[in-house]
Amino acid sequence: MPGTDARETARTVTGSLELLPHLPELPARGPGADMIGRGAGLLVELFAQVEPSGWRFADRPGRDSRRARSWLGEDLDALEEFTQGYRGPLKLQAVGPWTLAASVELRHGEKALADPGACRDIAGSLTEGLRRHLAEVRTRVPGAEPVLQLDEPSLSAVLAGSVKTASGFQRLRAVDRQVAEETLRSVVRALDVPVVVHSCAPGVPIPLLRRAGVAGVSLDFSFLTERDDDDLGEAVESGTVILAGVVPSTDTGLSDPAGSVQGVRTLWRRLGLDPELLGRRVLVTPTCGLAGASPDYAKRALSLSVKAAQSLVDNPE
């Protein structure tokens, strides 16, 4: 979300998304509030700090790690305040293990993705950090039924071997798809909550994510092509929830709610899926995060997402 006021953002989110509120992230506050810094702050017994080139692992916790945890604590305080008495699903989000490995450098300067052992350590440390995070959320919001979103915008690049080295002159070797799948499966199985994987990049590996055990896949619908039809259809028929990113994530003229999801209806008909499944298997979201939007637009985008989702329920065809 845009802005730096945790309380005002929590008020907006809980007021706009009554059936599925979430813990907001406010990256405009600076290092530690960004997606990678927030993820680094969740790690257990691994520490990172900000260097001119970005986040890098360090020997001991420092100012940047403490700041990341402090921002998260402030956000949890605000969420707790505006969810008093709430009962129902509550979405949390954190960077996934592969995007974290592709973004944080080892002490000698190369990205952690280049070291299979470091990738395993990151996944294990993140899993334990997420367990603790979920436990704290349950304590603060006793009626919550947490849903965890893992943000993996770099996953497609990790699998394609297109992640650049730290120098930027070469690319790191592609991660074996089975290794990537097993790592994600280990994280999903270790957490006793439904896990959704989000990516607003092209080429989201839907079958891999489904085999890894995710409950849902969140993607930017503008990147889908007819080549994705079979993968999407199989996912829906197997019970996977699709979070359809159809509402623009930066300031633009917003269409009417029904119009924004017309492409979803068209896809559903093309796949030959039961229209009655549409309102149960599809959630409507912005195409990606709203951090680059104005505060007023972000509020309108959330409102339009809710209205568009309701239109799928009321008029699936």
Side-chain angles (χ1 to χ4, degrees):
M1 292 289 285
T4 59
D5 188 328
R7 289 188 71 257
E8 182 57 32
T9 305
R11 186 200 308 271
T12 296
V13 166
T14 55
S16 301
L17 307 173
E18 296 179 359
L19 298 180
L20 185 59
H22 64 264
L23 176 67
E25 296 180 1
L26 299 173
R29 291 181 298 196
D34 61 296
M35 179 178 70
I36 301 302
R38 197 174 183 99
L42 286 170
L43 295 175
V44 175
E45 297 182 0
L46 288 178
F47 316 105
Q49 62 190 25
V50 178
E51 300 288 347
S53 58
W55 285 90
R56 179 178 293 182
F57 285 113
D59 294 325
R60 59 185 63 86
R63 178 183 60 186
D64 298 322
S65 294
R66 290 193 295 270
R67 181 166 48 195
R69 289 192 290 272
S70 176
W71 289 135
L72 179 58
E74 182 178 313
D75 294 337
L76 287 168
D77 288 343
L79 181 72
E80 182 179 3
E81 178 181 349
F82 290 102
T83 52
Q84 294 295 310
Y86 174 76
R87 303 190 67 83
L90 175 65
K91 186 172 77 69
L92 314 172
Q93 54 278 336
V95 63
W98 290 113
T99 296
L100 197 56
S103 304
V104 182
E105 297 176 353
L106 299 171
R107 294 179 184 87
H108 60 73
E110 189 50 86
K111 291 180 179 177
L113 185 64
D115 184 335
C119 292
R120 288 192 294 272
D121 290 344
I122 288 170
S125 176
L126 179 63
T127 301
E128 180 57 30
L130 289 171
R131 279 200 199 100
R132 298 182 184 186
H133 182 43
L134 288 163
E136 180 172 4
V137 169
R138 287 188 176 104
T139 299
R140 288 172 174 264
V141 190
E145 301 166 9
V147 175
L148 177 65
Q149 173 180 305
L150 291 178
D151 289 315
E152 285 282 19
S154 297
L155 180 58
S156 299
V158 166
L159 297 173
S162 57
V163 176
K164 291 183 178 181
T165 59
S167 68
F169 296 118
Q170 294 179 303
R171 285 175 169 76
L172 297 173
R173 180 179 299 177
V175 170
D176 182 87
R177 297 179 78 88
Q178 185 173 349
V179 172
E181 180 183 322
E182 289 174 352
T183 297
L184 288 169
R185 184 184 297 112
S186 69
V187 176
V188 170
R189 286 182 173 177
L191 304 172
D192 58 342
V193 298
V195 176
V196 171
V197 170
H198 165 75
S199 175
C200 48
V204 177
I206 297 172
L208 183 153
L209 296 175
R210 184 166 57 84
R211 291 192 302 269
V214 303
V217 178
S218 173
L219 35 73
D220 182 340
F221 251 51
S222 69
F223 288 132
L224 292 177
T225 68
E226 291 192 13
R227 292 193 302 272
D228 300 304
D229 282 5
D230 288 344
D231 292 342
L232 270 172
E234 290 174 5
V236 170
E237 289 178 339
S238 70
T240 305
V241 173
I242 304 299
L243 288 81
V246 295
V247 176
S249 57
T250 53
D251 294 46
T252 187
L254 292 175
S255 66
D256 66 285
S260 67
V261 290
Q262 192 54 46
V264 179
R265 292 190 181 92
T266 300
L267 172 65
W268 217 253
R269 287 195 296 270
R270 192 167 74 231
L271 295 178
L273 295 169
D274 182 354
E276 295 304 314
L277 281 177
L278 190 52
R280 301 200 298 269
R281 296 284 171 81
V282 175
L283 280 71
V284 177
T285 75
T287 54
C288 204
L290 292 166
S294 68
D296 180 64
Y297 178 85
K299 292 178 183 178
R300 288 189 288 127
L302 294 181
S303 177
L304 179 66
S305 297
V306 172
K307 293 175 181 176
Q310 187 62 48
S311 78
L312 289 181
V313 175
D314 296 339
N315 182 21
E317 299 184 85

